[in-house]
Amino acid sequence: MNIELTKLYFEPLHTQQVLYGSSSLLCAQCKYDGVAMWRSLTIVLLLGVFTSAINLNYLDPTKLQTLTSSETQKSAALNIIQKYLPDVIVEVDLLWFKDNKDTFSLNTLENKLHIRASSGVAAVWGFNYYLKKYCKSQIEWQTENVRIPPVLPSINETVVANDRFRYYQNVCTASYSFVWWNVKQWKKHVAWMALNGINLAMAPVAQEAAWASIYRQIGMTQEEIDQHLAGPAFLSWLRMGNMHGWGGPLPQSWHNLQLAIQNEVINMMLSLGMVPVLPAFNGHVPVAFSRVYPNSKFHEVVRWNGFSTEYCCGLFINPNDPLFNIVGNMFLNVIKKPGIHIYTADPFNEISISNFSTQLAQTTSNAIFSTLVESDKEAVWLLQNWMFVNNPSMWPLNRVQTFLNAVPNGRMLILDLQSEQWPQYNLYKMYFGQPFIWCMLHNFGGTLGMFGNMVTINRDVYQVRSQVNSTMIGIGLTPEGINQNYVVYDLMLESAWRKSPVADLTAWITDYAERRHGCKDTAEAWKYLLKSVYSFNGLNRIRGKYVVTRRPNFGIQPWAWYKSYDLFQAFRKLAFTNESHCSTEGFYYDVADVTRQALQYRAEQFYVNVAKDRYGNGFVFESSINRFLSVLSDLSSVLGQSKYFLASNWFAQAKSIGETLEEEYLYEMNARNQITLWGPRGEISDYACKQWAEVIRDYYIPRWKTFLSAALKAKIAGEVFNEQATRRVVTENVEIPYATTSFGITDWSLPSEPLMGQAKNLYRKWAYVADVNDLPIMTTKAKRASEFIVSDGESEDSETAIDPYVFMITTPTD
């Protein structure tokens, strides 16, 4: 680090004012800017936007995955494999990479499985390949069904990965799914990653512990630090500069836990030959920086999702200011680890800053990368493309090109974050020569609801991989939240080794059902699910905000992309399955989940009648309301039969981290607020909604009951129903108390009737309803998807929206 610049930002303020006028400092900065601009211009002029010209020297798995020895990787692989098959022979040789891609070879000799692999992760991946293909077994996020016969199925097969990388995680997953995890849960998940061949993933780095130390070092007060650091459930958006402070402050015990997790998990990843991705400085700083550095230049961050001044609108360091580089290096010096060279930074994720321009975009890109290479000469910047998707008017084509090409070719790796629905690689001409990963986002907020586009992910990823001039070098899973719709992710993961699309998806999903349920009895049910919920093919925003979980109002327009008949056929065939043949955890999970989906669909149909019947007589309106609330009650009851659909698990995990009563309350409040109001005033209400038993019983039903009771009373009294005022009452009496008050953690009272009996009875009760129509089929499609991008911001108005906001870009504009 430049000694003069270091002194500049660590001397008392009066000393800074003297030094800042130094002509030598200004000339040094001019030289820095001139070199940066010339390099960026040269890159743009010389760029060849084609695979033949792409530089992948810094993205070579044979180097990135070999920080630990073959023997260490073998030992780490055996630690996972031998939990399932004790007597197995594993060999790992780093020379067995083929064309910079992982390989594994499987062979059975004398009833013993032999695995030869290029890395530890490839060895575990090969073992799972054997389990799935030859033993009809399945290991998933939550459930597993492993049945290895005494006489091992014979095999002699070698598999070469299709791409250099199999990537995993969204920047939001840490907050929506991993936030309350301990070391044991993290290590179990890393094992799942290895079983599925994932070799590139974000590391669970204790970023806030690092920043708290840096903030104290530069002179911020503890009060200023506490006002800046958000609570655990909202750290992802603090890191991206969207908001600050909400849900905080962060206790020291939180930092200690995250540091312990960081060390254990990164070590486990490295021992398997995985490539951890570390965070980098993206330019966002606390508002207190304007006090500490009054002579530095900052941009104001525009308000995000209506958060008040107390929690919004931080500062963004001007990338031309030397402070950008200094702060970035301070952070990297704390978190970087030997041999890890890939870093993630998202400077403009769902935000805009004052005086934004193409020049500012370019200098920001330049500053982030320059800071990285100053600290790590082999650094590669991993970037989510979401800022282009979220705000297309802010990112015309030439601005995107300028931003991307400010970084040397092959030193930036793009995550095309939602390729299955909103692919951007063609619009941005294969990212103007930068390599990218084809990612499936699928889930927003960790919401529940069965959906997916099986046809698209079984087709497009293969087409793009083989496309002329493609710069695709990997596939990825980028859900905001996990533990839902595993079948979609299972199919996507197989595209890492399949050489062509699955020829018959019906046969594939039948095989999936057998692996998951341990029987063939449920194959027909899964065929109907493939035909219905997993047939989505449109541009509509699916966010899991169904009528059940939406803020009550009479303007919702529920829709679907499938027929209710197919869904209820799947429901019937699962509910009436002979469970003695299919008694796996995955089977019972699916019975509860499909029952939930069917009742959710009925609730939306009943809501349509409620909204219509409010114009009729009071008796009909009341009857319609009672039926709607009845199906919600049944939905809550059946979910209570499965441990996977209980909110008490989420709350108990949050409280268990606290070391004092105050910390327990803080963590539980974070857990409650995130899945309900998402902000002090419901700024992103229901975005991370959960169809969990107790949340439906204690939150969604009381909301709807309060709202509909008020509407009924107004009707009976002959008064005009004030919907807006009633919604305010719902917020005051239901939403805020639930999101901020600890109810205590109590066991869910299981009904006397077991799950299968309840599922059968609920099918009999709700399968045949005479006075409802199917929800309208409303899927928005583009004529040429490569020309379209979507504005994806959330707002209160979006609660009644059917279609996404679609823009078409045909020419580059500034």
Side-chain angles (χ1 to χ4, degrees):
M1 185 183 295
N2 185 294
I3 296 176
E4 185 179 19
L5 295 185
T6 304
K7 285 181 62 181
L8 170 65
Y9 287 99
F10 290 98
E11 290 288 339
L13 294 181
H14 70 276
T15 308
Q16 292 185 31
Q17 292 165 3
V18 173
L19 288 175
Y20 204 84
S22 167
S23 60
S24 62
L25 173 61
L26 293 175
C27 289
Q29 182 61 29
C30 291
K31 181 178 179 181
Y32 172 86
D33 287 344
V35 171
M37 290 180 65
W38 175 251
R39 182 182 65 184
S40 299
L41 179 60
T42 303
I43 291 166
V44 172
L45 292 174
L46 298 179
L47 179 67
V49 192
F50 305 107
T51 310
S52 59
I54 193 171
N55 175 16
L56 296 177
N57 292 333
Y58 296 88
L59 289 165
D60 185 350
T62 65
K63 300 174 183 177
L64 296 170
Q65 290 183 236
T66 56
L67 300 185
T68 54
S69 66
S70 296
E71 195 61 31
T72 298
Q73 294 196 30
K74 169 186 170 180
S75 178
L78 281 169
N79 284 338
I80 296 172
I81 296 170
Q82 289 181 332
K83 292 177 183 177
Y84 301 99
L85 184 63
D87 195 11
V88 61
I89 296 176
V90 172
E91 296 177 68
V92 173
D93 192 328
L94 306 178
L95 297 176
W96 289 338
F97 279 92
K98 184 175 177 59
D99 298 328
N100 304 103
K101 300 169 184 175
D102 264 316
T103 68
F104 59 81
S105 296
L106 306 174
N107 189 265
T108 46
L109 293 173
E110 298 178 350
N111 202 39
K112 186 175 291 187
L113 180 64
H114 295 243
I115 304 175
R116 301 172 75 239
S118 55
S119 65
V121 68
V124 183
W125 188 21
F127 174 67
N128 192 38
Y129 178 92
Y130 181 74
L131 288 181
K132 291 176 64 175
K133 186 173 181 179
Y134 294 91
C135 300
K136 298 296 182 183
S137 297
Q138 187 82 359
I139 301 173
E140 304 184 348
W141 286 323
Q142 296 163 291
T143 70
E144 63 179 47
N145 173 44
V146 178
R147 299 181 179 183
I148 304 174
V151 178
L152 296 181
S154 180
I155 181 176
N156 185 2
E157 189 172 352
T158 297
V159 173
V160 180
N162 289 325
D163 312 291
R164 293 186 176 216
F165 297 109
R166 284 82 57 199
Y167 174 79
Y168 178 56
Q169 283 188 47
N170 184 301
V171 293
C172 300
T173 323
S175 293
Y176 284 132
S177 291
F178 307 155
V179 56
W180 311 122
W181 282 7
N182 54 33
V183 170
K184 181 179 179 182
Q185 289 168 301
W186 258 110
K187 294 178 80 169
K188 180 181 179 182
H189 201 61
V190 173
W192 172 86
M193 290 160 56
L195 287 161
N196 288 281
I198 291 164
N199 65 343
L200 179 66
M202 289 184 186
V205 179
Q207 297 183 44
E208 286 65 44
W211 281 120
S213 175
I214 292 170
Y215 294 156
R216 283 190 289 269
Q217 186 179 352
I218 66 174
M220 283 178 60
T221 67
Q222 188 59 48
E223 182 180 7
E224 288 172 328
I225 294 172
D226 288 344
Q227 289 174 349
H228 177 71
L229 296 181
F234 306 99
L235 291 177
S236 293
W237 301 276
L238 169 77
R239 295 167 181 173
M240 294 181 289
N242 304 121
M243 46 79 75
H244 61 82
W246 172 241
L250 282 178
Q252 184 60 42
S253 60
W254 173 264
H255 297 317
N256 296 340
L257 173 63
Q258 300 312 305
L259 285 167
I261 290 173
Q262 171 184 306
N263 293 332
E264 291 272 357
V265 173
I266 290 181
N267 287 340
M268 182 177 177
M269 292 174 72
L270 292 175
S271 71
L272 285 162
M274 290 183 186
V275 183
V277 177
L278 300 177
F281 178 57
N282 60 15
H284 294 277
V285 293
V287 293
F289 265 54
S290 62
R291 177 189 67 79
V292 180
Y293 303 114
N295 297 310
S296 283
K297 299 176 182 178
F298 302 98
H299 296 270
E300 294 182 356
V301 176
V302 176
R303 189 181 305 275
W304 180 72
N305 277 313
F307 273 84
S308 65
T309 305
E310 183 179 0
Y311 302 114
C312 85
C313 313
L315 297 177
F316 185 83
I317 302 177
N318 186 296
N320 286 324
D321 195 298
L323 182 61
F324 195 107
N325 176 266
I326 291 174
V327 174
N329 272 291
M330 290 180 69
F331 181 64
L332 288 170
N333 288 338
V334 175
I335 62 94
K336 72 177 182 180
K337 296 185 179 297
I340 302 178
H341 302 297
I342 301 185
Y343 304 85
T344 181
D346 295 293
F348 306 118
N349 196 74
E350 294 195 11
I351 62 166
S352 57
I353 62 174
S354 60
N355 302 314
F356 188 71
S357 66
T358 298
Q359 178 63 31
L360 182 57
Q362 181 185 33
T363 53
T364 298
S365 181
N366 200 307
I368 291 174
F369 182 71
S370 297
T371 302
L372 282 174
V373 295
E374 183 175 323
S375 178
D376 179 355
K377 295 186 184 304
E378 299 179 56
V380 174
W381 175 8
L382 181 77
L383 174 75
Q384 293 193 160
N385 77 338
W386 193 248
M387 57 188 183
F388 310 145
V389 181
N390 175 255
N391 194 348
S393 60
M394 179 176 162
W395 290 97
L397 298 186
N398 72 316
R399 183 172 294 171
V400 173
Q401 181 173 8
T402 301
F403 179 85
L404 298 182
N405 293 159
V407 175
N409 179 267
R411 304 298 294 274
M412 177 183 279
L413 178 58
I414 315 293
L415 299 179
D416 196 286
L417 209 63
Q418 197 181 9
S419 301
E420 84 280 11
Q421 189 175 18
W422 287 101
Q424 306 292 293
Y425 40 80
N426 285 329
L427 176 67
Y428 297 125
K429 302 176 183 178
M430 291 294 165
Y431 292 102
F432 305 103
Q434 297 286 18
F436 79 94
I437 292 178
W438 198 105
C439 299
M440 183 185 78
L441 200 163
H442 180 264
N443 179 272
F444 290 81
T447 58
L448 298 178
M450 301 179 77
F451 84 97
N453 188 339
M454 305 283 279
V455 173
T456 295
I457 63 175
N458 187 48
R459 178 193 64 216
D460 289 8
V461 64
Y462 302 93
Q463 291 180 352
V464 178
R465 181 183 286 131
S466 61
Q467 189 172 320
V468 175
N469 300 331
S470 175
T471 59
M472 173 183 163
I473 64 169
I475 61 103
L477 302 181
T478 52
E480 286 191 351
I482 63 170
N483 296 331
Q484 39 73 37
N485 292 291
Y486 192 83
V487 64
V488 183
Y489 298 86
D490 202 52
L491 179 65
M492 181 63 201
L493 285 165
E494 291 191 4
S495 70
W497 58 262
R498 287 186 178 275
K499 302 308 176 187
S500 59
V502 175
D504 185 345
L505 277 178
T506 300
W508 183 91
I509 209 163
T510 297
D511 183 66
Y512 172 84
E514 183 177 357
R515 296 196 312 266
R516 182 170 167 87
H517 297 167
C519 65
K520 297 182 178 180
D521 301 41
T522 59
E524 289 300 312
W526 276 97
K527 290 177 184 178
Y528 279 109
L529 292 175
L530 177 63
K531 186 179 179 181
S532 57
V533 294
Y534 294 121
S535 68
F536 175 73
N537 183 20
L539 302 181
N540 309 61
R541 293 180 296 177
I542 295 184
R543 297 293 184 269
K545 291 170 68 173
Y546 303 97
V547 166
V548 173
T549 57
R550 286 186 187 272
R551 274 182 160 170
N553 70 88
F554 284 128
I556 302 173
Q557 302 176 56
W559 59 279
W561 59 94
Y562 58 90
K563 297 179 180 179
S564 64
Y565 173 84
D566 294 320
L567 172 61
F568 276 84
Q569 282 294 97
F571 181 17
R572 178 174 66 86
K573 290 184 178 297
L574 276 178
F576 291 92
T577 296
N578 186 339
E579 62 180 307
S580 64
H581 298 166
C582 311
S583 57
T584 65
E585 278 190 292
F587 169 71
Y588 290 117
Y589 180 100
D590 291 339
V591 170
D593 200 23
V594 172
T595 304
R596 179 204 54 73
Q597 185 74 18
L599 298 191
Q600 168 194 285
Y601 190 100
R602 278 289 184 258
E604 300 203 318
Q605 291 176 302
F606 294 159
Y607 164 82
V608 172
N609 279 8
V610 168
K612 178 182 63 177
D613 291 341
R614 76 185 192 275
Y615 298 114
N617 64 60
F619 173 79
V620 172
F621 187 36
E622 182 176 14
S623 177
S624 190
I625 289 172
N626 289 339
R627 184 171 61 168
F628 173 71
L629 294 176
S630 177
V631 77
L632 296 189
S633 178
D634 285 343
L635 178 56
S636 173
S637 179
V638 74
L639 290 176
Q641 288 283 17
S642 172
K643 65 181 179 180
Y644 299 112
F645 296 95
L646 293 180
S648 53
N649 297 331
W650 173 254
F651 299 140
Q653 272 195 306
K655 291 186 69 173
S656 69
I657 296 174
E659 295 184 356
T660 66
L661 290 176
E662 183 179 3
E663 289 181 8
E664 286 185 15
Y665 169 75
L666 176 69
Y667 295 150
E668 187 183 356
M669 187 277 287
N670 269 253
R672 288 180 177 275
N673 185 273
Q674 187 206 82
I675 65 173
T676 53
L677 289 175
W678 214 119
R681 300 182 303 173
E683 283 80 353
I684 322 179
S685 181
D686 301 322
Y687 180 83
C689 58
K690 299 294 186 292
Q691 292 186 47
W692 289 336
E694 308 95 314
V695 185
I696 292 175
R697 179 192 65 189
D698 301 328
Y699 189 71
Y700 299 131
I701 290 178
R703 284 205 312 191
W704 276 109
K705 192 171 185 178
T706 301
F707 179 84
L708 294 174
S709 294
L712 180 62
K713 287 180 180 178
K715 182 170 190 61
I716 293 174
E719 300 171 350
V720 175
F721 174 55
N722 190 328
E723 182 170 329
Q724 185 174 357
T726 302
R727 294 181 69 183
R728 188 175 68 245
V729 171
V730 170
T731 297
E732 293 170 355
N733 293 344
V734 179
E735 293 178 338
I736 292 177
Y738 185 90
T740 59
T741 305
S742 175
F743 286 17
I745 303 301
T746 57
D747 291 333
W748 175 264
S749 299
L750 293 177
S752 57
E753 188 175 31
L755 173 63
M756 294 304 295
Q758 195 169 11
K760 291 182 181 68
N761 286 336
L762 290 176
Y763 177 81
R764 296 184 183 106
K765 181 177 181 180
W766 298 116
Y768 302 102
V769 182
D771 62 336
V772 295
N773 297 316
D774 265 15
L775 299 177
I777 305 290
M778 293 187 179
T779 52
T780 303
K781 296 185 179 181
K783 293 180 180 178
R784 287 191 292 172
S786 62
E787 293 183 344
F788 287 81
I789 50 182
V790 64
S791 175
D792 204 53
E794 285 287 322
S795 68
E796 188 69 18
D797 292 338
S798 69
E799 292 198 6
T800 60
I802 296 177
D803 298 333
Y805 301 101
V806 178
F807 294 78
M808 186 172 74
I809 291 185
T810 55
T811 57
T813 56
D814 195 8

